[in-house]
Amino acid sequence: MSNSKIKLLWIDDEVDFLRPYVYFLQEKGYEVETASNGPDGIQLVKQQNFDLVLLDEMMVGMDGLTVLQTIKEIDPNILVAMVTKCQEEEIMNQAFAQLVDDFIVKPFTPVQILAALKRLVEKKTIIAEHIKRDFAKIFLSRSQIKTFEDWVSHYKNIIRWQNLINRFGDEILQQSFNDEKRESNRQFVDYIVENYRLWLIEKNKGPILSHQFLRHFVLPKLREKPVFLFIFDSMRMDQWLACVPFLKEIFDIKEEFYCSLLPSATPYARNAIFAGMLPLDIYQRCKSDWVFDDTAQNRFEPVLLQKFLQSQAYNNKVLYLKTSSNEDIENSQESLIQLQPIKDHSGYYPLATVIINFLDLLIHSTKSARLIEELITDDQSLLNITRVWFSSSSILSLLKKLKNRDCHIIITSDHGFIKVERPTIITGGREISANLRYKYGGALKVDPKTAIILSQPEEYMLPAEHLGIRFVIAKSDYYFIYSTKPKEYEKTYKHSYQHGGVSMEEMILPVGFLSSK
């Protein structure tokens, strides 16, 4: 492993005096960033992926042992060398108890620093070898998966392993991991196909679905105190986990999970969330609130939300806000913060719902904006951008302002997304919807190995504008292309982020319940 691949963070309150050492390490091929205090160093660890950390034990403000503990909570796999003037056994024992990986005693020479880093690099290599040996274990357990809860655990393990392999693996291991993840998604598709219809028919079978979200997660909380519901459009589980370290500083977090409806896209999943109904029921009972056009399909969300709450005898205040930028959030903060904790005569407190569109806009910009496409080259770079955005976002500032309010804070997503890799040709009539992961139209034909084909959309409780309309929903990482210009369509959309299909990434969704520490 060459030093050019090693990213180092040096945290020291006298870091300006260490510049000669920093330049020395940079000449040796290390990529070095510095922080002059513990909080700044912790912030960098949250935002970026470092291989090694040099950490001063005695600093003004937050001391090194506290910083060490926090860093290891954020990322247990990061390697940390404690830099100390003291060789007292008690200090070293405390550091070892918090999983420090090495010690460097002041005063030191550049050669001593280099030797310590080489020891850490060797340890990194040893960890990489252990990862290769243990890699298969996560996927051997697939045969034991029986329930949605099992799939949640499996998907969380995949995310954890993805992080490890990005840090310690090589190209061969990465390819093996990608193959195994694809096989996991193939089995997940089989699980969904086998069980999804039953979940729609029997309320108590399977996971909580989109149309059950408010009734299950929100209404009981509204009986206790005001609820602030934040829905991040197109937030995947790994992005949620990337944001959690920022939230853990100020909140205790309880996690639950639910399953997106199909198609796993905003017009279906989020309309169902707010209506408390399946898409077909929305169309049949509230026909004027359902849109078949490819644009503005969620324009009636506030209406659907009001109708659902009225059906539950809710008569208190409802705030509904849709935001795309920090400016939108800042302009709305006052109305949110001033929401009064007054219970109505039916026993409900006020509800504030905030839709955050930034992440959805981000993934859809990867092909249309060259700069974004160059910044987001893989899932890891996408997570890095998510961390940087969230750490300085107005949403996080708003959450900090709400932490002392007597309220419930819920964070969730309406659906996830997946990087599409395999094209599948679709043919049909003249009128076919535009989405790359699901389509509806007349006489649609596609390879059944690559998509769920619904000749009768009502089987999945989906509305059709006309008789003879079919739905097709892409499986795993497939995406639809037309037979007229297949090479052009494949080149244009391959490796892009899409949603609407059947995959763990799109359907397994987090629900975070935040309470002040």
Side-chain angles (χ1 to χ4, degrees), residues 456-487:
Q456 297 177 308
E458 63 269 20
E459 291 181 353
Y460 274 33
M461 294 299 289
L462 297 173
E465 193 171 10
H466 308 292
L467 290 174
I469 293 292
R470 279 186 163 195
F471 269 77
V472 292
I473 303 174
K475 299 177 179 179
S476 188
D477 58 355
Y478 287 100
Y479 63 103
F480 300 122
I481 62 173
Y482 298 115
S483 57
T484 50
K485 299 178 181 178
K487 293 296 182 183

Side-chain angles (χ1 to χ4, degrees), residues 173-388:
L173 187 59
Q174 182 67 61
Q175 185 57 53
S176 297
F177 175 82
N178 292 341
D179 292 342
E180 291 291 349
K181 185 166 68 169
R182 178 177 287 175
E183 177 60 21
S184 286
N185 257 329
R186 188 195 65 77
Q187 292 188 22
F188 181 75
V189 169
D190 290 344
Y191 170 76
I192 292 296
V193 170
E194 181 179 349
N195 293 282
Y196 188 74
R197 285 188 183 91
L198 179 63
W199 297 345
L200 297 178
I201 297 168
E202 298 190 30
K203 292 181 180 179
N204 296 322
K205 294 287 185 181
I208 300 302
L209 299 172
S210 304
H211 68 294
Q212 300 164 327
F213 184 94
L214 289 180
R215 191 174 284 105
H216 182 83
F217 292 119
V218 178
L219 283 180
K221 302 293 185 185
L222 283 170
R223 295 280 188 187
E224 301 169 353
K225 57 185 72 173
V227 173
F228 291 83
L229 172 62
F230 294 88
I231 300 179
F232 287 70
D233 189 358
S234 301
M235 180 176 70
R236 224 162 53 171
M237 172 97 76
D238 54 355
Q239 291 176 298
W240 159 250
L241 294 174
C243 295
V244 163
F246 300 98
L247 296 170
K248 275 190 171 180
E249 289 185 353
I250 47 179
F251 295 105
D252 290 321
I253 303 174
K254 177 188 174 185
E255 276 185 341
E256 293 194 39
F257 303 90
Y258 82 105
C259 184
S260 170
L261 287 177
L262 291 172
S264 53
T266 305
Y268 297 88
R270 205 165 76 212
N271 272 334
I273 288 175
F274 287 123
M277 290 185 283
L278 291 161
L280 181 58
D281 292 330
I282 300 173
Y283 178 61
Q284 290 177 341
R285 301 178 194 176
C286 312
K287 188 167 291 190
S288 61
D289 301 329
W290 186 266
V291 179
F292 283 105
D293 297 338
D294 283 335
T295 57
Q297 292 174 302
N298 288 78
R299 72 183 74 162
F300 296 113
E301 281 179 352
V303 177
L304 292 171
L305 176 59
Q306 286 284 3
K307 288 181 178 179
F308 170 75
L309 292 173
Q310 288 170 7
S311 73
Q312 304 299 310
Y314 177 97
N315 293 303
N316 212 320
K317 186 169 185 178
V318 181
L319 286 179
Y320 170 91
L321 301 169
K322 186 179 288 187
T323 66
S324 300
S325 65
N326 281 336
E327 184 180 0
D328 291 343
I329 297 162
E330 289 163 6
N331 291 338
S332 306
Q333 280 197 24
E334 187 174 350
S335 60
L336 288 165
I337 292 170
Q338 290 181 354
L339 193 68
Q340 296 300 311
I342 301 172
K343 185 188 291 189
D344 69 9
H345 66 271
S346 59
Y348 286 113
Y349 284 91
L351 169 66
T353 299
V354 184
I355 311 296
I356 300 103
N357 284 333
F358 176 82
L359 297 177
D360 184 61
L361 295 172
L362 180 65
I363 64 170
H364 289 307
S365 298
T366 55
K367 284 294 180 182
S368 60
R370 185 175 181 82
L371 177 61
I372 299 296
E373 185 177 12
E374 290 181 359
L375 287 173
I376 302 177
T377 56
D378 54 23
D379 285 352
Q380 192 58 51
S381 56
L382 177 66
L383 290 181
N384 290 342
I385 286 179
T386 301
R387 290 189 190 99
V388 172

